[in-house]
Amino acid sequence: MWRLQGFDAERFVAEYWQKKPCLLRAALAEFESPISPEELAGLACEEDVHSRLVRQGDDDRSWDLRYGPFDASDFRSLPQSHYTLLVSECEKWLPELTDLLDLFRFVPDWRIDDLMISYAAPQGSVGPHVDEYDVFLLQAQGTRRWAWAESRGDTPRLVEGLELAILENFAADQEQVLQPGDMLYLPPGHAHHGVALEPCMTFSIGFRAPTAASALESFALETERFGRDIARYRDPELETGRHPAELTTREIDEFRRLALALAERSDALWPDAIGKMLSDSAVIGDPDAEQPVYVSDLQGGQWLRHPESRLLYHRADDAIRLYFNGRVLQLPHTDEILALVQRLCDERELAPDLVNACLRHDALETALLELAAHNAIIKSEI
Ligand code: SIN
Ligand code: CO
């Protein structure tokens, strides 16, 4: 079991989170990577795994990016130095790695995106760049020299003609060599550059920050609930004597007012718009093709959260809204049901006593059947 040493989450959030970089020496002092470089390469050969190989050419402006899946011959033909293999969403393929992500649960679950693992040969790097997300860079094996900017830069100039977003000019304020167990936190927008001093592995715990546009998109989908009752454009003060082809500023403003008023007045729609958006997941097979699930199935066997499924809940006054796979279930808001919902969200392997306790409540029994029917929970094969 891992533990962040000398780490005070409250202090960290107050001083650093989304504010400034923070180097956490020996945060995971005894850390040993649970995956070897060879296993990482094996993962990068699998069909559904997102992987990339970045190779640096002869100078700072020549970079080559290739996407996996790879095969053994791709790795055999690599040089001795100046390349990095990166594999995203490793926690989905190696569920024991979710224990590592759990160290970051001082941030809400929905903010945590994935665990990316990279292996770099000596001098390997993905170049100086900027990420749009918060990231903790845990040095898992070997040493790496990180250079970073202490403040957020303006919109950066990128080296032209590359598939990778490499900064044209990178000026670091800080430079440090990270040893295994050290960790560097970077808020979004801080330029950084890590170069392997020897064969090394870096674990990136990345966060997500959905855009305003995705919130509006999800809200727009939710307004379908209004059906024909949704507000429409009206123009009792129709302007005459204008060119019939003109779309006037007043008309545009009226649409804007209409849309903003809808967003403002639809309190009831926002929890589901955001909850569905944040729990949405590209998983999860075709539910219509699945066998129906019965209570007896839930009682027998070990149930697990699908590794790609996100569960979160919202406490409204009169109900608990449970979000999964871009869907919502409504449950009565009692202390007992809330405690069970929290356990459902916490436990990746559902303990039999949790399943049985849920089955004693009609609403939670229905919820479990729904979760199972949509593959948000799955039966363990072992
Ligand atoms: C890496 O692991 O090489 C890159 C991680 C990052 O800079 O975000
Ligand atoms: Co980065």
Side-chain angles (χ1 to χ4, degrees), residues 37 40-42 44-45 49-57 62-79 81-88 116-121 124-127 163-164 166:
L40 190 71
C45 296
V49 173
H50 298 290
S51 59
R52 290 169 291 158
L53 252 176
V54 176
R55 283 173 68 169
Q56 187 176 5
S62 67
W63 296 86
D64 178 59
L65 167 66
R66 285 180 52 209
Y67 291 98
F70 301 103
D71 59 40
S73 65
D74 292 312
F75 296 118
R76 275 198 295 274
S77 60
L78 285 170
S81 68
H82 292 88
Y83 73 85
T84 305
L85 169 69
L86 305 108
V87 180
S88 306
M116 180 179 81
I117 300 183
S118 70
Y119 167 78
S125 153
V126 298
E163 216 181 321
L164 278 169
I166 305 276

Side-chain angles (χ1 to χ4, degrees), residues 24-254:
L24 297 148
R25 287 275 182 211
L28 277 151
E30 308 294 304
F31 188 77
E32 268 183 44
S33 172
I35 175 171
S36 67
E38 294 72 24
E39 286 165 330
L40 190 71
L43 206 53
C45 296
E46 302 278 341
E47 194 57 45
D48 295 326
V49 173
H50 298 290
S51 59
R52 290 169 291 158
L53 252 176
V54 176
R55 283 173 68 169
Q56 187 176 5
D58 294 335
D59 59 51
D60 287 350
R61 306 179 69 84
S62 67
W63 296 86
D64 178 59
L65 167 66
R66 285 180 52 209
Y67 291 98
F70 301 103
D71 59 40
S73 65
D74 292 312
F75 296 118
R76 275 198 295 274
S77 60
L78 285 170
Q80 295 293 315
S81 68
H82 292 88
Y83 73 85
T84 305
L85 169 69
L86 305 108
V87 180
S88 306
E89 300 179 335
C90 287
E91 77 288 357
K92 290 186 181 154
W93 312 106
L94 302 163
E96 64 272 28
L97 289 171
T98 47
D99 288 348
L100 186 64
L101 291 183
D102 283 350
L103 298 176
F104 300 87
R105 286 188 89 191
F106 61 92
V107 180
D109 289 347
W110 69 259
R111 277 284 260 142
I112 299 176
D113 191 7
D114 79 325
L115 172 64
M116 180 179 81
I117 300 183
S118 70
Y119 167 78
Q123 300 305 310
S125 153
V126 298
H129 66 278
V130 173
D131 294 319
E132 291 169 50
Y133 310 101
D134 306 82
V135 66
F136 286 91
L137 298 156
L138 168 65
Q139 196 54 33
Q141 198 174 296
T143 52
R144 181 188 280 273
R145 189 178 55 245
W146 279 105
W148 67 92
E150 280 292 319
S151 49
R152 276 181 79 103
D154 302 329
T155 308
R157 279 234 321 273
L158 302 178
V159 177
E160 275 175 28
L162 295 178
E163 216 181 321
L164 278 169
I166 305 276
L167 298 178
E168 175 82 59
N169 303 305
F170 170 58
D173 309 306
Q174 276 281 359
E175 208 174 282
Q176 297 283 343
V177 173
L178 267 69
Q179 307 287 340
D182 293 345
M183 193 158 70
L184 173 63
Y185 163 74
L186 293 170
H190 289 249
H192 54 285
H193 185 201
V195 180
L197 300 181
E198 55 188 349
C200 83
M201 290 177 95
T202 301
F203 285 28
S204 298
I205 295 94
F207 293 78
R208 32 178 213 155
T211 61
S214 41
L216 283 176
E217 224 171 90
S218 191
F219 174 77
L221 285 176
E222 216 46 45
T223 61
E224 283 172 14
R225 266 203 248 164
F226 288 131
R228 294 169 63 88
D229 289 336
I230 196 157
R232 268 183 192 279
Y233 182 79
R234 297 181 69 247
D235 49 4
E237 316 290 330
L238 184 70
E239 282 176 85
T240 53
R242 34 78 76 83
H243 192 282
E246 187 184 0
L247 169 64
T248 65
T249 303
R250 202 167 125 193
E251 287 162 342
I252 293 167
D253 284 348
E254 178 56 18

